[in-house]
Amino acid sequence: MTYYTNLYIYYFSGTGNAYSAAKWIKENGEKEGLNVYIQTIEKLENFKLKPPEGKTLFAFTYPTHGFAAPWLMLKFLWNFPRISNSDVLFVNTQAGSKIWKFYIPGMSGLAQWISIFIFWFKGYSVKGSLPLDMPHSWISFSPPNLRLFCNQMVERCHRIVNKMCDKIFTGKRYYRYTVWTHLWFDIAVSWITPLYLFCGRFFLAKTLFPSYNCNGCKICEIHCPVGAIEIRNGMPYWKYTCESCMRCMNICPQMAIQSWVTRIMLFFYLLTVAVIQLTNWNEYFIFLIVSILFFPIYWIFIKILHIKIINILFTYTSFTKLWNRYITPGVELSDFKRRNEKNRE
Ligand SMILES: Cc1cc2nc3c(=O)[nH]c(=O)nc-3n(C[C@H](O)[C@H](O)[C@H](O)COP(=O)(O)O)c2cc1C
């Protein structure tokens, strides 16, 4: 006998981790005989929800970005209506790894707490929170886990989600123990979240570039969840609406999308140090000027990448040229919505 009549699942996912979590919750709900609805929030324009009859559980799954939920998800949660006779559940997938026999957890920061507080203030009962250590997808920073380890991590997470569903569907609460054991760390890094949300994410969007392998197939443009990629002169260009979800980089069939994140950080660090040495300007002022310079420099950079020799130079000095890409095991390209496709689940 289940406690709920309806299960509504909303997800946002870059590389398939949060999508898989949503799918597993859906399967559990169907097994329990609930009325299940599942939707990605990517294209929920003018979102309206007819209050369902009977007790409802709303589940939200999303990746952790900069110790927070992605901006798009935060906006969605903020605007979510108050529906009576309903509870909520949050699953934030994060950057897990496996080294030898050991599972290394990701770091949630405020990724669950902001969502929990928003829904407490809306008057919901928050039935559960699960930080889920799926294989990390931040390929512009580090190589993916070995495929075997990815499979093992995903299987482990699947079991954890099943266990959570067993509890929650009978009306019990489920807050995974790491919500509490990692709390000290989550608080310690909380100051990074506003920096990421209001500044960092705009820079990250500009750390990707198309290598000379790009054949202009537009797969990245078509599958970008937020329509942030535009093909300019046959190559992708990333706009500021980019959520840095890493889907484009990971689904490119040519593995043609590379990152210059390490070089750009080094370049701007050296530039800041040089200006500090040469002038007696205030450091914060220099930092501001250097940050503003970032955007015209990126614009010039993308222009000169059309010169093949320069492109080759950048591509071959990019770490990301050396390593593989990541999509959640079991997830296909066809699982990701295309830009002109309406939400139809
Ligand atoms: C821009 C960016 C920021 C990230 N920040 C964090 C973070 O703060 N903590 C963490 O544990 N994982 C972080 N990750 C890793 C993702 O949260 C993780 O891989 C997630 O499971 C991806 O889910 P998805 O496949 O549904 O997009 C980050 C990934 C990206 C691309």
Side-chain angles (χ1 to χ4, degrees):
M1 174 76 185
T2 55
Y3 184 73
Y4 296 102
T5 315
N6 312 302
L7 170 64
Y8 281 62
I9 308 162
Y10 296 99
Y11 68 90
F12 175 75
S13 181
T15 55
N17 288 348
Y19 165 69
S20 299
K23 214 174 56 178
W24 298 330
I25 297 173
K26 172 182 177 253
E27 286 163 7
N28 275 281
E30 283 171 346
K31 238 192 290 164
E32 292 294 329
L34 304 183
N35 304 320
V36 184
Y37 306 86
I38 178 168
Q39 276 194 342
T40 164
I41 63 159
E42 287 165 24
K43 295 189 175 57
L44 285 180
E45 287 131 17
N46 307 319
F47 171 68
K48 282 204 182 69
L49 183 64
K50 205 168 126 243
E53 277 178 27
K55 188 137 180 91
T56 302
L57 177 69
F58 291 106
F60 303 94
T61 75
Y62 50 84
T64 306
H65 283 179
F67 303 121
W71 185 250
L72 194 74
M73 194 66 184
L74 278 176
K75 275 199 308 194
F76 180 74
L77 295 175
W78 184 261
N79 293 320
F80 200 81
R82 169 80 192 107
I83 309 278
S84 58
N85 200 18
S86 47
D87 299 336
V88 289
L89 156 71
F90 300 104
V91 177
N92 65 296
T93 63
Q94 50 185 17
S97 300
K98 193 177 181 207
I99 300 174
W100 190 41
K101 285 182 190 166
F102 303 105
Y103 290 96
I104 316 292
M107 299 174 238
S108 284
L110 299 182
Q112 46 203 311
W113 289 111
I114 297 179
S115 315
I116 290 174
F117 282 126
I118 292 176
F119 277 73
W120 272 345
F121 282 118
K122 284 181 195 276
Y124 278 92
S125 166
V126 181
K127 277 289 174 181
S129 178
L130 171 61
L132 199 60
D133 297 309
M134 293 287 273
H136 92 86
S137 64
W138 207 346
I139 299 306
S140 57
F141 268 106
S142 61
N145 287 275
L146 294 177
R147 200 68 194 166
L148 173 70
F149 288 170
C150 285
N151 292 338
Q152 291 170 345
M153 274 187 274
V154 168
E155 277 168 28
R156 177 172 176 259
C157 287
H158 194 165
R159 286 195 297 274
I160 294 171
V161 169
N162 290 350
K163 206 169 116 193
M164 172 193 73
C165 289
D166 285 349
K167 273 212 153 169
I168 298 238
F169 292 165
T170 52
K172 293 191 189 124
R173 285 181 196 277
Y174 181 95
Y175 282 68
R176 192 162 156 79
Y177 69 91
T178 51
V179 172
W180 310 114
T181 52
H182 293 193
L183 190 58
W184 63 273
F185 179 84
D186 296 339
I187 293 169
V189 296
S190 58
W191 60 274
I192 298 174
T193 298
L195 286 183
Y196 176 80
L197 288 176
F198 298 113
C199 310
R201 68 193 178 97
F202 299 108
F203 289 91
L204 280 180
K206 300 292 181 191
T207 60
L208 302 172
F209 70 91
S211 74
Y212 64 92
N213 293 114
C214 175
N215 59 5
C217 69
K218 297 189 180 173
I219 284 184
C220 55
E221 185 203 24
I222 293 167
H223 289 88
C224 174
V226 288
I229 299 180
E230 230 175 60
I231 303 294
R232 293 189 184 173
N233 301 325
M235 281 182 166
Y237 177 88
W238 285 263
K239 296 189 282 186
Y240 293 104
T241 41
C242 171
E243 287 275 353
S244 303
C245 73
M246 295 289 132
R247 184 183 294 176
C248 52
M249 190 172 186
N250 286 297
I251 62 171
C252 174
Q254 311 298 324
M255 283 178 46
I257 298 176
Q258 309 296 348
S259 167
W260 66 319
V261 68
T262 38
R263 268 162 304 165
I264 197 160
M265 280 160 79
L266 187 68
F267 173 74
F268 280 99
Y269 173 74
L270 294 176
L271 188 65
T272 312
V273 171
V275 181
I276 288 174
Q277 295 295 325
L278 295 173
T279 65
N280 55 359
W281 297 346
N282 179 295
E283 299 161 14
Y284 294 107
F285 176 69
I286 295 171
F287 182 70
L288 183 74
I289 297 289
V290 168
S291 305
I292 293 170
L293 274 179
F294 178 90
F295 298 102
I297 288 178
Y298 177 75
W299 188 80
I300 296 166
F301 172 64
I302 286 291
K303 288 258 172 237
I304 62 170
L305 274 181
H306 286 276
I307 304 166
K308 194 166 177 186
I309 184 74
I310 295 181
N311 192 309
I312 289 176
L313 195 76
F314 268 94
T315 304
Y316 273 95
T317 50
S318 171
F319 283 127
T320 51
K321 177 78 184 153
L322 302 175
W323 59 66
N324 240 320
R325 301 297 189 252
Y326 172 77
I327 287 289
T328 315
V331 172
E332 306 284 333
L333 189 59
S334 56
D335 290 318
F336 297 124
K337 287 216 147 35
R338 297 162 68 95
R339 216 164 118 188
N340 52 5
E341 207 174 6
K342 285 244 174 338
N343 246 316
R344 60 182 149 63
E345 282 115 329

